[in-house]
Amino acid sequence: MNFHRNHWLLLGTIFFGFIGLAFIIAILPAQWMQQNTEPLPEAEPLSDLEQRGLEVYIAEGCVACHTQQVRPLPMDQPWGRPTAAADYALLGPMDVWRPYSPAVLGSARTGPDLSNIGARQSSETWQYLHLYNPRAVVKDSIMPAYPWLFEPATGTEGDAPVVTIPEAYAPEDGKVVPTEQGQALVAYLLALRQIPIEGAGGTTQEASAETDQKGVPAEESEGQAGAKGDTLYANNCASCHQANGQGLPGTFPPLAGNSLVLAEDPGEHIDTILHGAQGRTIDGTEYASPMPGFADQLDDDQIAAIVNHERTSWGNDAPAATAEDVAGRREAGEK
């Protein structure tokens, strides 16, 4: 055996050595992990529509900018709990030509992690607006727009959602309808919800309540109650109603000067956050976009903090609500 004289022997050793190392350090451990990792008890497989959305997600290159792997770091707490192997247990091969699980983990963090985007931003309308033109809902977003996932509204859309676009970004008639691909992609994004794991850290909402914006644990005091409401509002409400409380004209109502927010009795304000709303006329404007409820995501103290932030910000000045007020409205149920 002489590598200096027998080049075929040298190349063969390198080639088969590389193949062998690849199996030992990568392929076999990955197969073992995939075969021995059970999904979380409450995990459900993607529906047919959500699976098509996953294919759109891959085809449009979303993985190039977004990860689905929350690291156990303070800076990742706004995105959810740290990711576990079980989160990917139900991901399977896309088709016979792609006999491996899609690489949704990603590595580039140009945009926010999407592991829990369905819980962090559960508004279907917001997701459509964000895809059509991200600047319509996030002024400084650098994400590209995806207008080819929409068509102009014609009035004959049937059950397809009609999305009203803010005037600055709207087409000529102001409304669009998502294509089948657009609807599938949004269905997939809304399906991305982390299942809580005991001892693995809180959900996005819990994390936002326990940490300040720098990820430092916050000791609540009277002076910090306002900051807590500010943080909860930023993480749960500002994407639709905007940080300045002005909303998006015709789509998401403003909270500054809103008669419901300024009412002496905070009951309806609390009910709206607990149970959501749709089709309401507020201060003379009808808002068709549904608002999701937060009863299952936020506790009484957190909702009271958001209510009080909204009732005392942007020039608003209305009586405060308490966690006991929220508990009473929660117990009364949706009306």
Side-chain angles (χ1 to χ4, degrees), residues 33-95:
M33 178 68 76
Q34 192 156 8
Q35 294 170 357
N36 292 276
T37 300
E38 296 293 331
L40 295 170
E42 299 178 13
E44 295 182 359
L46 296 175
S47 67
D48 291 342
L49 180 63
E50 292 161 356
Q51 182 65 33
R52 290 200 296 275
L54 171 58
E55 295 174 4
V56 177
Y57 183 85
I58 298 296
E60 295 291 348
C62 302
V63 294
C65 295
H66 294 282
T67 56
Q68 290 186 36
Q69 48 166 323
V70 181
R71 300 165 296 184
L73 301 174
M75 65 187 296
D76 276 16
Q77 286 188 2
W79 313 134
R81 63 159 169 76
T83 296
D87 291 330
Y88 312 107
L90 291 177
L91 274 179
M94 301 286 283
D95 52 46

Side-chain angles (χ1 to χ4, degrees), residues 233-251:
Y233 177 85
N235 288 337
N236 296 282
C237 316
S239 56
C240 293
H241 296 290
Q242 304 296 294
N244 59 7
Q246 295 300 319
L248 292 177
T251 304

Side-chain angles (χ1 to χ4, degrees), residues 125 129 162-167 174-175 240 246-254 279-280 282 284-290:
T125 301
L129 285 171
V162 177
V163 184
T164 300
I165 306 298
E167 185 176 356
K175 297 181 179 180
C240 293
Q246 295 300 319
L248 292 177
T251 304
F252 302 125
R280 285 189 182 176
I282 301 175
T285 301
E286 182 178 358
Y287 294 92
S289 302

